[in-house]
Structure formats: structure tokens, C-alpha cells
Amino acid sequence: GAGVSQSPSNKVTEKGKDVELRCDPISGHTALYWYRQSLGQGLEFLIYFQGNSAPDKSGLPSDRFSAERTGGSVSTLTIQRTQQEDSAVYLCASSLTVDTQYFGPGTRLTVL
Amino acid sequence: KQEVTQIPAALSVPEGENLVLNCSFTDSAIYNLQWFRQDPGKGLTSLLLIQSSQREQTSGRLNASLDKSSGRSTLYIAASQPGDSATYLCAVRGNTPLVFGKGTRLSVIA
């Protein structure tokens, strides 16, 4: 079956612009996670959605970052007023159980 | 705050060699530890998951051990092949979602 998909695969933007990154999880997966992987850094947890519960936003680095999950399926990560330090690969994962996360291929964001 | 460290950061070995990747974590209050593989331009693939009550897990040529009390895990790869070339990530799960190390970049030379 289809895995987790993310779009776009690459995004180049100018400093100060807003960007939206999309994640399509595996159908039926109740949990969805966003991570960020900066150059030379490990994966950094950003936000976690579980069913209809309030999301765990504890990893968001600033109020310029936000995410939504509509209808318990597709999620959009929005970064407002992008900065050069936002350049990274943004990975999405979905799961039925918290122990087994399936990762998408990521979106490579470059802020010029 | 949980911190995960992986050593070495990069490793290059000739084909056929056995090798060990190391992972350490600062907070031993974990539910489990996972080893992932990451190929360029692709997402992560889970290789092995060790629950906190377990000591090791094996899958094919891969064996992962866990010493929770000392905060250490190793990933052993037997008879390495060029197709094993990738970045290997260690991640632990405690009360927060996964905390990852920075990875070990492995190159297996034919």
C-alpha cells in the first residue's frame, strides 16, 4: 500500500516569505508527527497529533511555526516569515502505535 | 532532558567486515530504543526496536543490544555489504516522542 507522502520534495524560498509543507499519512493511522533535520543535527521533534486530542506542540521552535491536521488525515506545517536557520529537511511520520512510525521522504527547505 | 549520542559520526569499512555502531543516552527512563536507517533523499526505515525489558534484537545480519542501566546500545552489522551504506540513527522513546542521535554515516567499500 501507499506509504507516507510529502510535498513538495524541495522548496526554495526567500527570507521573510511564508511556506506550507504537506504530509499525507498512511490511511487509517491515527498519529502524525513532524520532525526537522538540520545540517549536522539529529532529527528534532516538532509536533505530534494523536486522534482528536490536542496536539503536542512542545517541539515547535518559535511561534512562526504552526501545524494543522484536517479531518484526522492530511497535515500542513506552516512556517511564517522564514529565516535562513529554518533551512532543513522536514520529515513527517504516521503510526497506529507509538512504537512504529512510518516516515515520509521529507521536504528539503532552503531559505535564501 | 534526554540526549542521545552516536559514535562514530562516520565510518568507512571494506566489504565483508563486521562492524559496531554505538549509541548512548543520558536518561535511562526509556520505554524502548530503535535503530533506523536513512538513505539520501529518502525517509527513515526502522531496523530494530528493543523494548526496555529486552536485552537484544536480531534481524538477519543485524543485532542490536540494549543496556538500559548504563544508557548504551550497540548495532552490530555482520559481513557488511555495499548496500549497507547509509546513515544509521538511534532513537529513544521516553515520556516524549522519539529523541534521535545525529547518526553514524556508514560507507562500505566494495
Side-chain angles (χ1 to χ4, degrees):
Chain A
V4 177
S5 61
Q6 293 185 243
S7 60
S9 56
N10 282 283
K11 176 72 176 179
V12 180
T13 191
E14 294 179 348
K15 177 181 173 182
K17 295 283 181 67
D18 297 351
V19 295
E20 287 188 350
L21 312 180
R22 177 186 169 108
C23 172
D24 285 84
I26 293 173
S27 178
H29 280 192
T30 55
L32 187 146
Y33 310 77
W34 283 98
Y35 297 88
R36 176 171 73 173
Q37 188 173 32
S38 304
L39 188 64
Q41 301 296 316
L43 268 77
E44 172 190 16
F45 163 73
L46 296 178
I47 188 168
Y48 161 50
F49 296 89
Q50 174 61 59
N52 295 321
S53 302
D56 177 353
K57 304 180 181 180
S58 60
L60 295 178
S62 78
D63 59 7
R64 295 187 296 104
F65 287 72
S66 62
E68 292 185 341
R69 189 177 185 193
T70 55
S73 180
V74 172
S75 177
T76 302
L77 177 68
T78 301
I79 308 174
Q80 296 178 310
R81 305 181 302 281
T82 52
Q83 304 294 313
Q84 288 183 332
E85 61 263 29
D86 300 335
S87 296
V89 176
Y90 290 82
L91 289 162
C92 172
S94 71
S95 70
L96 269 177
T97 68
V98 68
D99 286 343
T100 307
Q101 297 181 28
Y102 296 84
F103 283 79
T107 293
R108 180 175 297 279
L109 174 66
T110 302
V111 182
L112 301 177
Chain B
K1 177 185 174 184
Q2 178 74 269
E3 293 183 2
V4 179
T5 303
Q6 292 188 245
I7 295 173
L11 180 64
S12 183
V13 300
E15 182 178 5
E17 193 162 297
N18 302 326
L19 58 101
V20 174
L21 308 181
N22 297 291
C23 172
S24 61
F25 47 95
T26 55
D27 185 351
S28 61
I30 63 169
Y31 293 115
N32 58 53
L33 180 145
Q34 289 190 67
W35 283 93
F36 292 86
R37 169 182 173 139
Q38 184 175 30
D39 293 281
K42 297 184 180 180
L44 278 66
T45 302
S46 180
L47 298 173
L48 291 164
L49 183 151
I50 312 176
Q51 299 292 351
S52 61
S53 59
Q54 297 175 321
R55 297 284 293 182
E56 66 177 337
Q57 283 286 335
T58 298
S59 176
R61 295 182 293 107
L62 305 180
N63 176 277
S65 68
L66 173 64
D67 184 341
K68 191 178 125 174
S69 60
S70 68
R72 296 175 189 273
S73 175
T74 61
L75 179 66
Y76 175 83
I77 302 177
S80 58
Q81 302 172 358
D84 295 331
S85 298
T87 297
Y88 290 81
L89 298 169
C90 167
V92 297
R93 185 172 79 83
N95 288 323
T96 59
L98 294 175
V99 178
F100 286 83
K102 295 182 181 180
T104 294
R105 189 169 62 254
L106 173 65
S107 296
V108 181
I109 312 300

